[in-house]
Amino acid sequence: MRQSYIMPGFRPTLGFTLFYLGLVVLIPLSTLVFTSLQLNWAQYLAIITHDRVMASFRVSFVTALLASCVASVFGFIIAWVLVRYPFPGKRVLDALIDLPFALPTAVAGIVLATLYQPSGIIGKLLMDSFGVQVAYKPLGIVVALIFISLPFVVRTVEPVLQEFDSSMEEAASSLGASRLQVFVSIIFPNIFPALLTGFALAFARGVGEYGSVIFIAGNLPYVSEIVPLMIITKLEQYDIPGATAIALTMLVISFFLLLVINLLQHWVRKRSGQL
Amino acid sequence: MKVKTSITAGFFVIGLLVSGLALADRTLLNVSYDPTRELYQDFNKAFTTYWKDKTGETVTVQQSHGGAGKQARAVIDGLDADVLTLAITYDIDKIADKAKLLPKDWQSRLPNNSIPYTSTIVFLVRKDNPKGIKDWDDLVKEGVSVITPNPKTSGGARYNYLAAWAFAEKKYGGKDAAKEFIKKLYKNVPVLDSGARGATTTFLQRGIGDVLLAWENEAFLAIKELGEGQVEIIAPPSSILAETPVAVVDTVVNKHGTKDLAEAYLNYLYTPVGQKLAAKHYYRPSEPKYADAADLARFPKLELFTIKDKFGSWDAVQKEHFDDNGVFDQIYVP
């Protein structure tokens, strides 16, 4: 039996979706797979498990994780302020949030490196008062990634917060819940799935980011080399299969992590009765 | 009727446009490495005037600059370069080898092994040289911070590395000693930029490091840009002769119909005008007799050795030092 849908146009739209995904996503990605198929399993493992490559994976994923955690906390606060309180200049502030989207990432990297270098305005302050060097250390990568990933969190949490039905809050208050209780057991669980999405987007962006990081990282082998730099370095040596092997591995890990986050999100929604 | 007229008119306009394109002046794309920007800006002006006077044809020369390795890869991946003016013969070898865009014996087609000008590596230090850096072994001293790009991605950085290696091998005797020396040197490097210009920026604009290992012309340029007295050039007693080759890309010029133009362009580098411009932009001309004596006098005198004398060939260098698990990778293993 053919399944029929109430909405017309299922076949053409699905056809278009598959065609578009194929053209824009799957064909380029499959080229990656085919190029790395030039390697046999042992060669592939040797490239991936090389100490220096492993170190770069560690740097990339740890810094992206830290940065997206920080961006999630502060992105949430910013979204909260933008949605909940009216204040003069709010629209300007709102527009400012999107700037990291629009700014070429290389520009962001150069600006951040200038500010956070040991003799820069912020860098000198941090150096003198805490003895912390940011630029040209792994910490610099985290700073760049926070900058890049902030709008992802704000822009995913903001609409959900806006749609949030305040009658639930009012009901809770009238039943005697404290402000903290309202936040912890009413607001946060409802926002959490959106926050997870924002976190996932920020993380995915952070893992793949090259332009801004390269100017602030210092790029020292085993210390502050990110995976995209390893890929570029391999390409510079005309080692294309090696570069694609690393790229493919990164793709698989990222896909797996995003899948886990999506499942987690699904589970949270289900538990809190949103599905 | 009206429709027909407008269609005819439309075709007429399109026809005009097409024939206009066909008659358009020829362009030449010169793919080069980072620090040659200023040289080729001047040289292109001189060449287009010369060509106009000689043939009446107006030509446009376009420039593309970037890290030498990146540029070579772009050409392999399909960037339509008519001529290459790169930092290292190895990169053009790779283009001949991987993409087969020009014959393997490309180096024998122009005078002086296709090297119209050379350069070398010198030190750029802060005003009054507070760390007292005079020679290569001052770079490994404790507390000296050295700025040099990553030799895996930068042509200039490869010369830096090899100059230091050759110095150590001669002074301390043997490869093991040289490796130890290189390891100590890179311990003093706080930032590895991917290209020569990036490293120059780190040193000059960010104020990081006590000494920058720089192309000679880049060092002169930095002083010119910043004004005297901020940084100064220190020439070590010995350094490496950076042989920066040029070549016509056969496949591309045949496709574009620019073979005569591309050959004339590169040959013009060897003429008195080209040589004079090279010297003016701080490159060491292959025919010093054509250059201004005042320009030549600016070059410090130092003992220069070639890759061929010290290392045999670029292929051998690449394999031993810069390929994966080569010496450069080994010195970073914790």
Side-chain angles (χ1 to χ4, degrees):
Chain A
M1 262 295 278
R2 265 180 57 196
Q3 204 180 347
S4 57
Y5 293 88
I6 300 167
M7 275 284 275
F10 170 68
R11 275 153 184 275
T13 46
L14 180 71
F16 177 76
T17 306
L18 290 180
F19 172 73
Y20 189 81
L21 267 182
L23 196 70
V24 176
V25 181
L26 292 179
I27 291 178
L29 292 188
S30 61
T31 324
L32 206 61
V33 177
F34 282 121
T35 317
S36 39
L37 281 182
Q38 292 173 10
L39 301 163
N40 62 37
W41 184 243
Q43 285 169 318
Y44 173 78
L45 274 187
I47 292 171
I48 292 307
T49 55
H50 191 285
D51 285 347
R52 192 162 162 199
V53 176
M54 292 294 267
S56 73
F57 272 115
R58 205 158 41 239
V59 170
S60 267
F61 283 104
V62 170
T63 52
L65 190 71
L66 284 175
S68 40
C69 285
V70 175
S72 295
V73 173
F74 289 96
F76 180 80
I77 296 174
I78 292 171
W80 178 267
V81 169
L82 286 177
V83 171
R84 288 295 171 111
Y85 310 106
F87 56 91
K90 182 169 154 173
R91 293 210 178 271
V92 178
L93 196 71
D94 203 24
L96 277 178
I97 303 291
D98 285 331
L99 268 189
F101 274 145
L103 200 67
T105 50
V107 177
I110 292 169
V111 170
L112 289 173
T114 313
L115 286 176
Y116 283 94
Q117 78 193 36
S119 60
I121 300 170
I122 304 177
K124 196 166 161 48
L125 201 71
L126 290 172
M127 197 72 186
D128 293 348
S129 32
F130 304 106
V132 181
Q133 188 189 338
V134 178
Y136 312 117
K137 296 274 170 196
L139 195 57
I141 305 178
V142 179
V143 169
L145 293 183
I146 291 173
F147 177 83
I148 295 297
S149 56
L150 189 68
F152 288 92
V153 179
V154 179
R155 289 297 176 238
T156 42
V157 173
E158 212 182 351
V160 180
L161 215 52
Q162 231 146 22
E163 300 283 298
F164 187 67
D165 189 359
S166 56
S167 60
M168 270 203 276
E169 277 174 79
E170 284 156 17
S173 310
S174 68
L175 290 172
S178 69
R179 282 186 168 188
L180 187 70
Q181 271 176 323
V182 171
F183 181 80
V184 171
S185 37
I186 307 289
I187 300 175
F188 192 73
N190 280 291
I191 302 300
F192 191 57
L195 194 60
L196 266 181
T197 311
F199 174 84
L201 287 173
F203 180 75
R205 184 76 175 85
V207 167
E209 175 61 19
Y210 177 76
S212 61
V213 173
I214 229 61
F215 291 97
I216 198 171
N219 307 326
L220 293 180
Y222 296 95
V223 180
S224 50
E225 258 185 338
I226 53 169
V227 179
L229 179 66
M230 281 311 297
I231 296 173
I232 299 279
T233 310
K234 293 264 181 206
L235 286 176
E236 300 282 334
Q237 294 165 50
Y238 308 105
D239 179 11
I240 292 164
T244 44
I246 300 176
L248 188 69
T249 311
M250 195 166 168
L251 202 68
V252 170
I253 299 177
S254 299
F255 181 74
F256 181 73
L257 286 174
L258 290 176
L259 196 71
V260 168
I261 293 173
N262 269 341
L263 288 176
L264 188 67
Q265 205 180 19
H266 188 77
W267 180 73
V268 169
R269 280 227 171 100
K270 221 170 179 174
R271 240 197 58 183
S272 65
Q274 286 180 40
L275 276 181
Chain B
M1 196 59 202
K2 221 177 181 180
V3 177
K4 211 172 172 188
T5 335
S6 61
I7 289 176
T8 329
F11 274 117
F12 182 67
V13 170
I14 291 172
L16 266 184
L17 281 175
V18 171
S19 61
L21 282 177
L23 287 172
D25 302 319
R26 291 188 293 173
T27 31
L28 210 55
L29 175 61
N30 175 4
V31 170
S32 193
Y33 62 108
D34 248 344
T36 55
R37 267 168 245 262
E38 292 76 12
L39 165 65
Y40 280 104
Q41 268 166 20
D42 258 16
F43 179 76
N44 291 346
K45 248 181 252 157
F47 175 74
T48 43
T49 321
Y50 155 80
W51 191 253
K52 174 104 188 163
D53 288 347
K54 195 180 157 204
T55 64
E57 185 189 6
T58 314
V59 291
T60 318
V61 184
Q62 289 177 334
Q63 282 297 132
S64 163
H65 296 275
K70 194 171 72 199
Q71 293 292 79
R73 209 186 61 248
V75 173
I76 291 176
D77 290 343
L79 176 65
D80 266 351
D82 297 282
V83 294
L84 303 166
T85 55
L86 292 177
I88 295 188
T89 51
Y90 179 75
D91 283 326
I92 302 187
D93 280 340
K94 277 287 152 188
I95 294 170
D97 193 37
K98 298 249 166 192
K100 315 232 179 306
L101 296 176
L102 63 169
K104 283 200 169 158
D105 64 345
W106 60 271
Q107 238 190 319
S108 61
R109 297 191 299 184
L110 285 166
N112 194 31
N113 279 327
S114 296
I115 295 157
Y117 47 78
T118 59
S119 190
T120 186
I121 301 297
V122 296
F123 305 156
L124 200 63
V125 298
R126 307 271 171 214
K127 189 183 172 196
D128 299 331
N129 197 3
K131 299 270 165 120
I133 292 156
K134 292 269 170 257
D135 201 353
W136 292 96
D137 47 1
D138 294 323
L139 301 180
V140 299
K141 283 185 184 153
E142 212 150 301
V144 173
S145 162
V146 184
I147 302 297
T148 173
N150 188 337
K152 294 187 114 181
T153 50
S154 156
R158 261 173 250 180
Y159 283 117
N160 297 347
Y161 172 104
L162 294 172
W165 177 280
F167 164 85
E169 202 174 5
K170 190 174 166 199
K171 175 150 185 190
Y172 302 112
K175 282 191 171 177
D176 291 336
K179 188 172 162 186
E180 208 40 52
F181 180 83
I182 286 283
K183 188 169 180 172
K184 266 202 218 149
L185 200 166
Y186 279 88
K187 275 238 157 62
N188 282 348
V189 178
V191 184
L192 277 178
D193 283 290
S194 62
R197 271 284 150 96
T200 310
T201 311
T202 301
F203 182 75
L204 295 178
Q205 255 85 19
R206 312 248 177 286
I208 308 248
D210 302 307
V211 51
L212 171 73
L213 309 187
W215 287 106
E216 185 176 52
N217 68 298
E218 190 89 340
F220 274 113
L221 212 62
I223 289 185
K224 206 170 110 187
E225 299 270 303
L226 280 181
E228 304 274 334
Q230 294 243 24
V231 285
E232 45 194 83
I233 293 176
I234 302 284
S238 73
S239 189
I240 199 158
L241 182 70
E243 294 177 302
T244 49
V246 299
V248 171
V249 186
D250 296 43
T251 314
V252 177
V253 293
N254 288 338
K255 193 170 81 187
H256 291 175
T258 46
K259 194 169 167 50
D260 58 323
L261 188 64
E263 276 169 359
Y265 180 77
L266 291 187
N267 275 313
Y268 198 60
L269 279 170
Y270 291 90
T271 63
V273 182
Q275 293 289 299
K276 197 179 260 193
L277 279 175
K280 185 183 157 210
H281 288 279
Y282 315 105
Y283 285 91
R284 295 175 178 234
S286 60
E287 296 285 351
K289 62 174 185 261
Y290 294 138
D292 279 345
D295 286 343
L296 291 179
R298 298 181 302 192
F299 295 121
K301 305 243 172 321
L302 62 175
E303 185 199 336
L304 294 173
F305 49 82
T306 62
I307 295 290
K308 209 166 163 223
D309 290 348
K310 293 277 178 180
F311 299 94
S313 73
W314 270 111
D315 251 341
V317 168
Q318 186 71 25
K319 218 170 261 152
E320 187 181 346
H321 293 275
F322 305 126
D323 271 353
D324 279 352
N325 303 321
V327 176
F328 183 71
D329 279 357
Q330 292 164 28
I331 61 167
Y332 269 107
V333 174

